[in-house]
Amino acid sequence: MNTKTPDHPFLVQGQTGPWEVVIGLEIHAQITSASKLFSEAPTDFGADPNANVSFVDAAFPGMLPVLNAHCVDQAIKTGLGLNAEINLFSVFDRKNYFYADLPLGYQISQFHHPIVGRGSLEIQLPDHAPRTIGITRIHLEQDAGKSIHDQHPQKSHIDLNRSGVGLMEIVTEPDLRSAEEAMAFMRYLRGLLRYLGTCDGNMEQGSLRADVNVSLRRPGEAFGTRAETKNVNSIRFIGQAIAYEIQRQMAILESGGTVDQETRLFDPSKGETRTMRSKEDAHDYRYFPDPDLPPLVISQDHVDRLREALPELPQEKKQRFIRDFGLSTYDADLLTMDRDVADFYENALKVMDTVNAQTGKMLANWMMGDFFAALNRDGLAIKDSPVTPQHLAKLVQLITNDVISGKIAKDVFGFMWESKHDPEEIVKEKGLAQMVDPDALKPIIQEILQANLDKVAEYQSGKEKLFGFFVGLAMKATQGKANPALLNQILKEMLKGQ
Amino acid sequence: MTKSNDLTRLSLADAKKGLQSKDFTVKELTQAHLDAMKEKKDLNAFVLETPELALEQAAASQKKYDAGTQGPLEGLPIANKDLYCTKGIRTTACSKILASFIPPYESTVSQNLLDAGVVTLGKLNMDEFAMGSANMNSYFGPVINPWTDKEGTKSYVPGGSSGGSAAAVSAHMALAATASDTGGSIRQPASFCGLVGIKPTYGLCSRYGMIAFASSLDQAGPLTRTVEDAAMMLEAMAGHDPKDATSLNIPKPQYTQNLGGSIKGKRVGLPKEYYLKEMHPDILKKWDEAKAWLLDAGAELVDVSLPHTSYALPAYYIIAPAEASSNLARYDGVRYGFRRDADSLDALYEQTRSEGFGDEVKRRILIGTYVLSAGYYDAYYRKAGRLRRLIAQDFEKVFHECDVLLSATTPTPAFAFGEKPKDPISMYMNDVLTVPANIAGLPGISVPVGLSETGLPLGLQLVGPALSEALLFDVSLVLEKASNFLSMAQEKGNKR
Amino acid sequence: MMITLDDVQKIAWLSRIRLSDEEKHAMKDNLSAILGWVEKLDQVDTTGIEPLSSMHIPEMVCRTDVCHHTPMAEVITQNAPEKELNMFTVPKVVE
């Protein structure tokens, strides 16, 4: 196996030698909560402009923030899921800057004392050893509103529906070494957040987005200057942005130039990053503790209670799947990364008569094969699948109980997908059950052999390759329903006896 | 003297008794104050008068009296400092930048008063965003102190920032008024205008809907003519508010029913650092007299020391501007208030804020921005925060040795327009004796105790430990009674 | 502490307050005087003293995660100097 660890980093070959890519992410994850971080306005996506805005969110004079306890718990749970230190004392600071969609003129965030400290997340790329990526911190902060630039040639419109929605900013160490790793990290993190129920991970709606820091260095040397690409909102775009940055920075460095420490934007239509026209570096955020909000003090008891109530997380589940259902590491990873997928798999196993390495593996293969292909083809989320876990389990059992062959099962699956019907009923209705009665098969085979006496003679004179020819004719005659093992056995006997 | 004038002479407590015993109606009481407002318009105490609303409220209050369902302050005409957001009624903080702002919500303090039954006469002038000590920084022009000297030739400042509140109550245009105190903005005008003004413990009154100047220092409080009235007002204004995370979660205080307790055996501390070189001799004299009154009432006097006192004012002038620079960032011409259009967003911000804010506000925003900026934060803001803890610790220690502190409220009586140097620091010195209580979040009250040689009111300040308001009222009552200020002032004082 | 015209310019920009040249000079003198005065604090050794920033309330009191009806968009925008389609409008912002 080709292992790549930080000691043997993934290197990019330039014209002047190898470069090591260093990537850190700052992920903004929208907290799953009914109301905003500091106000009672709802967080629903897609409301009419300024319909979900309280006077607090619009920073009216005299309005004050009051912290949402659930958002605090969500951040703690996320920290626990990332094996991180929970800081029992944390403080909200104001980050001061002027911007159109920032009504207060500051963002309430946590700068000096974040709620969550150091943690880690294990990731694994196919054919690579697992890697542990360091988490620097998680802090709570408010989202800004939205500026809309396409309504008027000279004006921007401001919608404050998102203003004040709770975010967790999850900051990684600069531990990632390739676009693939960064993308994998995002998939693992997204899966974990969805397990925890702390963020829905919906990247299209902006619930999860990342600032991507990329720099290059010669292997073994100190970190190079990094450029930060802001607000990238899909895993694919994160990959593209990193790939583009690697090429851009390498071209600069190899021609003897230096990379500017700057903020860039990703243009999805071109797959490129570009310098932000508004100058971020002119900022001086003047952080200071928000005098409207006393320090946030959490008891260890409360943290312990939240820890006890955590669901089984992907890593544990993965180990259990490997142990109990005979899955490979790769399959177990694929089935546990997303909670809905894992739940589907386990719900299916629950209704099976026998759960063992054979049935567990076969169910996994069906899910990762025809089932995922159908979901992808129709663009459906697993929750919206027309095939239920119970039905998929029955289909697998029809195979393991020799009622239908694997080949017929593919057809049955197609019918299930179209009709949402029970596979047993489909098999019964369409008469797809295998022929398992030798007395029913024998006359059909007899007829085939009679009609092909020349081939029988050839077979008997040693041309054993012709066996498949007879199997094909028998399958055709039975519309594929002949039990393959039984068919083979009877055919062999009858060919001998001719 | 007309009957109408008589009604404006009543204390809040006596007016309530009169309404209860039907000596006069709420309408008569309200109309008397509306007439006084007309008569004394030249003081510029009100920036918005709401006579129609007042008469509507008066009618509703009268019905409650008739039905016997009146609230604790039913039908009593008061007015609100223009810092309190009042639903549907223009609220400006006396700044051009909010000159057209109509809040769609009510502040908790003004709502509490409405719930207690008050009649509201209008909105009161103040220093812009409560920044000032003379009420000379208002977009609506300065307020004139109803008091003048024996000759009556000069115009005096009412103090600030609650200058409109002080002038209105002092000139009998309202029975009482709301005010706010960040560094002395209730107590200093109380002292200049011969009123009782209490800044309660930080967190006792909700800050929800009170336009912020410096969040960790701002506290609401009343200005009244008597100690009993102050107790009545504060009782109605105070109370826990879940909409303010800095609001104290304690039962609603009951000051009036226990008012007038004996102060026998109470230890009154005399902080040596509060004797300033620049102190006016008349004030020192009153301070000495007050000591005698308190001894007579059975209190003990203790010499005490608060060693970090002289650092309170400089620390304040770092902390308050820092918080203000951030609190006032929301005034950007986008969602409400004044706007000067421009062809870029930054130019719009710059022009709106340059034109919308007055000089003192701009000065404090710039200082605040400076002390928070990269490279200076530790030297200024963090340093001031450390001094703040030392000052708070001074008070903690001293309240093991005594129950309340007695000092002057201000180093001098009110000054005439044009008689104070215009440089900011000299103006800031007005707050030197009041600021420490804000820095430590402690309650402080100013009580009028006499007149200067020239005939201007003089106030003394009492500061107590957190939530000692009831004790402050009891000690204040002793001073009020012994000084006999109201009758003495009526006899000897010279009001416009 | 003497602050320079450049300092004044920098903090005026951070504060989004435009000053005329005359105002800048006046502000420079004012701010220098005030900052010089507050430097009195340097006389006190504050080693090991934690800054105090919140009064009497040692811990945050949180609210439960319950929504409350929000004002109509028309109310949120009713005080706006300029609005369109229930949104606030500003000169076009370039990112």
Side-chain angles (χ1 to χ4, degrees), chain B residues 270-288:
Chain B
L270 305 165
K272 68 173 184 196
E273 291 80 7
Y274 283 59
Y275 290 89
L276 304 173
K277 281 196 296 282
E278 53 272 44
M279 197 89 91
H280 195 282
D282 295 352
I283 292 180
L284 287 173
K285 219 167 92 188
K286 280 294 159 198
W287 194 353
D288 284 337

Side-chain angles (χ1 to χ4, degrees), chain A residues 57-69:
Chain A
D57 307 322
F60 271 64
M63 292 297 100
L64 297 170
V66 183
L67 181 60
N68 182 341

